[in-house]
Amino acid sequence: MRIDKFLWCVRYHKTRNQASVACKKGQVKVNDASVKPSREVYIGDTIVIRKNQINYKIKVNDIPPNRVGAKLVDIYRTDLTPKSEFEAQELLKYSKDYYRKKGTGRPTKKDRRSIENFKDEEE
């Protein structure tokens, strides 16, 4: 089975086109080598997928006949992603909150209404 079709079948991408684009950008590696969307996937291959700043590492257990339901995905792949990848994602989320405090910059609607109420009270 083609790598783009496999990624679509095991629900790592919503469409085959998205899976193909990810392969073309070099975000998919099979056995530590960047691949084209037409690369064949075999049982026992290790796939690394970079998606949402997380490197997912999966092992192919079996080839699905077509797209499978979310509950059946674990039959066809084994997730080898280390926990540190998800912890790094959490740290990244917190760092974004640290640099951009809510309410700074352009005033929100609530801020604008309070400013207008304050100006009305002065007059």
Side-chain angles (χ1 to χ4, degrees):
M1 178 180 280
R2 292 169 53 113
I3 183 71
D4 61 343
K5 188 172 182 181
F6 179 80
L7 294 176
W8 170 73
C9 285
V10 294
R11 300 184 166 268
Y12 275 94
H13 292 284
K14 284 187 176 182
T15 63
R16 274 188 67 184
N17 187 32
Q18 288 176 350
S20 296
V21 169
C23 292
K24 289 175 186 172
K25 287 184 178 179
Q27 296 173 346
V28 178
K29 295 183 181 200
V30 176
N31 299 329
D32 297 326
S34 292
V35 294
K36 293 181 179 179
S38 61
R39 164 73 153 71
E40 292 290 320
V41 177
Y42 302 104
I43 297 171
D45 282 348
T46 303
I47 303 172
V48 177
I49 306 155
R50 177 130 178 107
K51 185 177 177 187
N52 298 332
Q53 297 181 343
I54 297 176
N55 289 327
Y56 295 96
K57 188 173 183 182
I58 62 172
K59 183 179 179 190
V60 179
N61 293 340
D62 198 6
I63 304 296
N66 52 12
R67 189 167 169 101
V68 295
K71 293 180 180 178
L72 303 176
V73 167
D74 290 332
I75 297 171
Y76 301 103
R77 59 109 174 131
T78 304
D79 193 6
L80 305 173
T81 308
K83 299 286 184 204
S84 61
E85 291 288 333
F86 297 108
E87 291 168 1
Q89 181 70 13
E90 288 295 319
L91 288 175
L92 184 65
K93 189 188 307 182
Y94 289 128
S95 69
K96 286 182 181 177
D97 290 341
Y98 176 75
Y99 290 112
R100 172 80 169 113
K101 296 289 183 187
K102 224 172 191 174
T104 59
R106 186 173 176 178
T108 61
K109 280 186 177 181
K110 184 178 179 182
D111 294 337
R112 181 181 51 79
R113 289 186 187 118
S114 358
I115 291 169
E116 287 176 358
N117 289 338
F118 181 73
K119 285 182 179 178
D120 289 341
E121 289 175 2
E122 286 182 359
E123 295 173 358

